[in-house]
Amino acid sequence: MNLSQLNRTLLQVLLLPVAALLIIAAVFVWQIVSAVHTVERIQHADRNISYSVAIMLHLTEQETALRGYQITGNEIFLQPYTFAEQPLQRGFAALRTGLSALHESTQIVDRINADNQAYRKEIAEPLIAAVRAGEYTSDPGLNLREKARMDYLVRETRTLTLSQRDVRDQAVADFHTTVRHTIEASIGLAIAIGLMVGVFSRGQLRAVSTAFQTAVEALRRNALEASDSEQRLRTVLTSIADGVIVCDRDGRVEMLNTVAQELTGYSQAQSLRRPLDEILPLLHEETKAPVSSLNITAHEYGSFAGSLSYALLRKQDELTKTLLEYSVSPIFDNHHRPAGAVIVFRDITEQRQTQHALLASEKLAVAGRLAATIAHEIHNPLDAVINLLYLLRNNPAPEEQREFLDMASNELDRVAQISRAMLGMYRESKIPVAVEMTSLLRSLLLLLDHHLEQAGVTVETRLLPEATIMGYPAELRQVFTNLLTNALDVSPRGSKLIVSMDASSDPEGVMITVEDSGPGIPAEVLAHLFQPFFTTKGEQGTGLGLWVSRGIVEKHRGHVDIETSMEKDQHGTKLIVTLPAARTS
């Protein structure tokens, strides 16, 4: 039974008693409404009886008053007769309304009212007029007619009263029957519904119990599997060659693997729940300032995930420092909320030393390739200066002296320019500085001018008037020296070397292209072109130039792209270096 089925079963078990109670409530409401209607009939019947009794009393008082006035002739005895008219009319109207409420005919009321009006008009009023006129009114026949008419009215009123009593008695009997039926129906429904709910709930709860036991067993198996999985995970983490530290969302250490314990000098017990900066104290590689970016907080996760950084690890003796390459990756819970972080790091001290050695080797190779060119470039203007000095010693004319001095000054300026360009190759900078790329490229082309002339290759430049970025000038000179000399080596005599510069997609960045007219690069060579120690120059190459150059460009947050073609009419290679304006670190 899955969660949906369990919820549906529990809902059924809950709703069935509710539905049963609603049915019982509906029966009760129906019976109560019926009882209310019966009580209303009883109340109407009681009021009708009261109205009919009052009418009969007024009729009797009316007859008694008329008879007393007939005997005595005194007007006082006539007052009940006079006062009875309005109560009788109100009683007839109320009785008519009461009978209508019981859906019974009101004809008997109208008949009694009409007979009463006839009695007053035909018997009572003539009799009163005769008494007032002093006429003889003791006629037995008249008295008998008067009595018979009044007896008839009283009898009709009594008949109406008795019929309303019958209605009341029947309503009372109906009420008792309704109450009895209500009790019987309630008991019957309660028993039936109770049995039905009990049977249904028993079956459903048995199914839930079975499902619960199955779920408990599954949870037990899952717990065992999770424990085994956790043990395997710890074994894997322990076996990883890199250091691994797991911390919570507050930056407190939860676990270290064996390599991390060896590198930090802290055991699992010593580091548990301690701040990460205490267990992994890092320093900036160049400034030696403490690195506090590993204090993991929720809003920093996006900037840390997966990015590689470099820092020095300060050991507990405060003297030993190890260069680390590390990355921080966030851990999220089931609701994608930050729950912690994993820090993976490794010792790259020897690797960095090897890289520095390779870089130094490549620099020496570049310097060696340029040494002969520089010596030749300096030797030519020096020879010219020596010749000019010889001419000056022979006392030429003043005009010739000035001309010779200007020519000597120009040649010495060229020597100074070449010397400054050479010195710039090895002026290292510890932090990024502003580098004017147009001047840098022009100075490199000046150094290569002799080689270009000997190779019979012309250079076409399409440089921007000014293109300044932030970077390391000596390293950038090394990059473009490698690219220019490589392009020169593959360019046939009489071909053209194009050095162009365009603005990159970064508004303040620059894209520099070195395009040769060489034979192009085969696909099998292109795949290995940036691998260290791979060269196509035999003993003349180190195989480090392009590999080092790409590393320097990537250090500047840039990238190197290659476009090459081996077609007969359109062959050559383009190396495109894109350098962004963002400040490098």
Side-chain angles (χ1 to χ4, degrees):
M1 180 181 290
N2 55 32
L3 182 59
S4 176
Q5 292 173 333
L6 176 62
N7 290 334
R8 186 166 58 251
T9 299
L10 294 177
L11 184 62
Q12 291 172 352
V13 172
L14 174 65
L15 291 181
L16 186 59
V18 174
L21 290 175
L22 290 176
I23 293 173
I24 295 175
V27 172
F28 269 114
V29 170
W30 174 58
Q31 294 294 338
I32 289 172
V33 170
S34 178
V36 168
H37 290 163
T38 304
V39 171
E40 289 178 352
R41 288 183 61 202
I42 294 172
Q43 291 174 344
H44 285 303
D46 285 339
R47 283 195 292 269
N48 291 342
I49 292 172
S50 299
Y51 295 148
S52 62
V53 170
I55 289 171
M56 187 168 60
L57 179 60
H58 288 309
L59 290 175
T60 304
E61 289 178 350
Q62 180 179 258
E63 180 190 11
T64 302
L66 184 61
R67 193 172 299 280
Y69 179 68
Q70 180 184 2
I71 296 172
T72 62
N74 192 340
E75 294 287 341
I76 294 176
F77 286 93
L78 194 57
Q79 288 181 356
Y81 170 82
T82 304
F83 294 154
E85 176 63 18
Q86 290 185 355
L88 280 172
Q89 294 303 318
R90 288 196 297 271
F92 285 132
L95 187 57
R96 188 180 295 106
T97 302
L99 291 175
S100 299
L102 293 175
H103 305 290
E104 295 188 10
S105 176
T106 60
Q107 292 180 358
I108 187 171
V109 178
D110 296 334
R111 189 168 62 251
I112 294 173
N113 189 17
D115 290 343
N116 178 59
Q117 294 299 325
Y119 168 77
R120 292 174 69 92
K121 185 174 182 181
E122 296 174 3
I123 295 176
E125 290 181 3
L127 181 60
I128 294 171
V131 173
R132 287 177 178 169
E135 296 179 359
Y136 178 72
T137 58
S138 299
D139 182 16
L142 177 62
N143 292 333
L144 288 174
R145 287 195 304 276
E146 176 189 354
K147 182 178 183 304
R149 182 67 65 86
M150 185 54 63
D151 289 343
Y152 170 77
L153 289 173
V154 171
R155 185 168 58 252
E156 288 291 314
T157 304
R158 185 179 292 110
T159 300
L160 177 59
T161 302
L162 293 175
S163 68
Q164 291 302 300
R165 285 178 179 174
D166 291 340
V167 171
R168 179 184 181 280
D169 292 341
Q170 183 61 44
V172 171
D174 292 342
F175 177 76
H176 289 301
T177 301
T178 301
V179 172
R180 185 176 68 254
H181 289 170
T182 301
I183 294 173
E184 293 172 353
S186 300
I187 294 174
L189 282 173
I191 293 173
I193 292 174
L195 290 174
M196 182 176 64
V197 171
V199 172
F200 178 78
S201 299
R202 182 172 179 270
Q204 296 297 320
L205 291 177
R206 178 177 295 176
V208 172
S209 176
T210 303
F212 178 74
Q213 292 176 358
T214 304
V216 170
E217 181 63 23
L219 287 175
R220 188 183 67 82
R221 290 196 303 269
N222 291 339
L224 291 176
E225 292 175 0
S227 178
D228 294 341
S229 177
E230 182 180 359
Q231 187 60 37
R232 287 196 300 271
L233 177 61
R234 288 184 178 274
T235 303
V236 170
L237 288 177
T238 303
S239 304
I240 291 177
D242 292 341
V244 178
I245 297 179
V246 180
C247 63
D248 61 16
R249 69 186 310 275
D250 296 322
R252 295 188 176 276
V253 175
E254 293 183 342
M255 193 194 75
L256 291 83
N257 70 345
T258 304
V259 176
Q261 294 177 27
E262 293 175 355
L263 287 175
T264 61
Y266 290 94
S267 66
Q268 174 72 26
Q270 291 174 327
S271 59
L272 188 63
R273 306 303 303 164
R274 291 178 64 178
L276 183 61
D277 281 344
E278 293 184 9
I279 305 303
L280 196 69
L282 299 180
L283 303 175
H284 193 276
E285 185 178 0
E286 295 178 354
T287 64
K288 305 302 185 293
V291 176
S292 60
S293 60
L294 288 181
N295 291 325
I296 307 301
T297 56
H299 68 276
E300 293 174 330
Y301 273 82
S303 61
F304 280 118
S307 60
L308 288 176
S309 301
Y310 302 91
L312 294 173
L313 172 63
R314 185 179 68 245
K315 295 295 186 70
Q316 295 185 48
D317 57 12
E318 299 290 339
L319 299 176
T320 306
K321 294 180 177 62
T322 303
L323 181 61
L324 297 183
E325 177 186 74
Y326 68 92
S327 65
V328 182
S329 299
I331 301 173
F332 297 99
D333 59 17
N334 294 333
H335 302 288
H336 203 67
R337 293 177 300 194
V342 177
I343 299 90
V344 180
F345 55 95
R346 59 192 179 96
D347 185 355
I348 61 168
T349 305
E350 293 184 4
Q351 178 182 340
R352 181 60 64 83
Q353 291 172 352
T354 302
Q355 288 179 352
H356 286 167
L358 292 175
L359 287 172
S361 175
E362 175 61 15
K363 279 191 176 183
L364 290 174
V366 173
R369 286 196 297 268
L370 292 178
T373 300
I374 294 171
H376 188 275
E377 292 293 329
I378 292 177
H379 181 73
N380 287 338
L382 288 179
D383 282 346
V385 170
I386 292 172
N387 293 331
L388 291 170
L389 289 175
Y390 173 78
L391 294 175
L392 286 171
R393 288 194 188 99
N394 294 327
N395 297 319
E399 292 81 5
E400 291 180 338
Q401 289 182 3
R402 284 194 296 273
E403 181 181 354
F404 293 158
L405 288 174
D406 290 340
M407 292 173 63
S409 178
N410 290 335
E411 294 298 326
L412 290 176
D413 287 343
R414 177 174 171 78
V415 171
Q417 187 178 11
I418 294 173
S419 176
R420 284 194 298 271
M422 184 61 186
L423 288 174
M425 285 287 294
Y426 294 97
R427 282 207 186 109
E428 296 286 357
S429 176
K430 297 298 183 181
I431 59 173
V433 297
V435 181
E436 211 291 294
M437 296 303 300
T438 301
S439 299
L440 184 146
L441 290 174
R442 292 189 186 280
S443 65
L444 290 179
L445 291 173
L446 175 65
L447 292 176
L448 295 175
D449 186 62
H450 177 65
H451 273 320
L452 293 168
E453 183 179 351
Q454 284 186 335
V457 176
T458 60
V459 177
E460 178 182 342
T461 58
R462 303 169 187 171
L463 305 180
L464 298 175
E466 183 177 351
T468 302
I469 67 167
M470 299 299 293
Y472 300 89
E475 294 182 355
L476 291 174
R477 285 178 177 274
Q478 183 177 353
V479 169
F480 290 102
T481 298
N482 281 326
L483 299 185
L484 289 170
T485 54
N486 286 344
L488 179 60
D489 290 342
V490 299
S491 296
R493 178 171 291 275
S495 65
K496 181 186 295 185
L497 186 65
I498 300 175
V499 180
S500 60
M501 181 186 297
D502 295 293
S504 70
S505 56
D506 185 337
E508 298 181 10
V510 63
M511 183 170 62
I512 301 169
T513 303
V514 177
E515 180 180 357
D516 62 57
S517 301
I521 303 174
E524 59 273 13
V525 174
L526 189 62
H528 303 282
L529 200 60
F530 288 100
Q531 293 179 358
F533 305 109
F534 177 81
T535 180
T536 59
K537 299 179 182 180
E539 296 296 330
Q540 296 181 357
T542 64
L544 297 174
L546 289 179
W547 176 68
V548 170
S549 297
R550 187 173 69 172
I552 293 173
V553 172
E554 290 177 350
K555 177 182 177 181
H556 286 73
R557 301 294 190 265
H559 55 88
V560 181
D561 299 308
I562 294 181
E563 297 178 4
T564 186
S565 174
M566 300 183 67
E567 296 181 4
K568 182 177 181 181
D569 297 330
Q570 190 177 0
H571 53 81
T573 302
K574 287 184 181 180
L575 282 106
I576 305 167
V577 178
T578 302
L579 297 170
R583 189 178 184 87
T584 59
S585 60

